[in-house]
Amino acid sequence: MSVVVGVSGGIAAYKAVGVVRGLVLRGHEVHVVPTEAALRFVGAPTWEATSRNPVHTSVFDDVAEVRHVALGQRADLIVVAPATAHTLAKIAHGLSDDLLGTTILASTAPLVVAPAMHTEMWRNPATVANVDLLRSRGVTVVGPDDGPLTGGDVGPGRLSEPDDIVAAALARVTGPAGLDASPAAVPGARHEEVRVGDLDGLRVVVSAGGTREPLDPVRFVGNRSSGKQGAALALAAADRGARVTVVGAALDGAVRQGLVARGDVELVDVGTALELEAALAEHAPQADVVVMAAAVADYRPVSVADGKIRKDDSGDELTVRLVRTPDVLAGLVARRPVGQVVVGFAAETARDRDDLLELGRAKQRRKGADLLVLNRVGWTTGFGADDTAVVVIDADGDVVSEHAGSKSAVAGVVWDAVASHRSARDGRTSSPPRPQGVSTGAGA
Ligand code: CTP
């Protein structure tokens, strides 16, 4: 992938060397575009040595090549680290008085900025407004982190760690842990293709991962869910303007890191089905949309041993008694506030589409969600894989969409279905909107 790393003039410019190195080591073609001020902190030879490419700052270098257009058009991703208050303001307002400004304007690649400045500058209403404007246009903002700053003061304003910036930047293009082809941010996907803002201001809660039910301090009953689909849903919603909380059950490490590095998604870690239920009881009531992508254990051990279960004590056979866990999704549907949309997932091993639909429709009647996303899981499909195939049905069991592809692409399809559901409902009802999909819902 071709990545432009813009570096603006702050003391944190030295940390951007780690960002460039991190991208190069992952095999990306990196072009560094420092501002003149950045070169006062870290010189061109350092950027050239780490990026293995020549460095320019002026639009007047190699004019015949029209460098800013060439760099901008070729880029699959632009990362600005550090982004000073001044550079954020310039990007927000489309100012282009240097090579970095013109490159960004000439590009439609996903843009990731990592701000670094003193706390007062970060909190200044001008910076706050500029950052809001950038976010509303689909720009990913990583950090800043909280901590000691160069002047001896402490607060938000530190440049995020280079590894976190690299992870967030790549997640913007490929999804967490290498998910490919987010419709919001595939390499070469352009801003105009991104459905930025159609979930603007909505509060979204997504459950992700798979719960683990302990048997003893070191063992659990679990499932193979990685959390990739839930994370892809969360990132896609954030890209489209939602405020997102993820209730993550035993997320795969890289998936979790991708969410954390992203910076604008709240993450609540849980372990068991009961913990997941409690976290959702706290966060779901305020949400406009709740998506239950987590694979929740249906049973948990009746008792949890205080110490490790030992073979010497158990003999050749061990019987574990399990008890049902609550159906969290059905509970959410039963208690949902007026207007909230609840989306469930159905993991089925049925191979045949008709069987999948039949099982899905039965599950829909039991659960009562507004939309149910049916997906096939098996030894090699579904859990942990990067690709998946889904059929989305509504409360009446009618198919509203179908898609096979990356989990990021599927996330886009699910949010499209949510957005259509909300607009159809709002068109049907007078304000305030009523909950839909309960006619064949819980208890039916
Ligand atoms: N779910 C839940 N609580 C449970 C089990 C499942 O909230 N105890 C949710 C899942 O998050 C998912 C939906 O219910 O959104 C369907 O999960 P799935 O595992 O497909 O179905 P189950 O309800 O577990 O039914 P079965 O195992 O019989 O297929």
Side-chain angles (χ1 to χ4, degrees), residues 292 294 296-298 325-329 344-347 363 366-367:
M292 281 293 294
V296 186
D298 292 325
T325 56
D327 189 323
V328 182
L329 174 59
F345 268 69
K363 197 166 280 186
R366 287 201 304 276
K367 307 261 181 182

Side-chain angles (χ1 to χ4, degrees), residues 37 45 198 204 233 324 395:
D198 68 343
V204 164
L233 282 156
R324 282 281 287 270

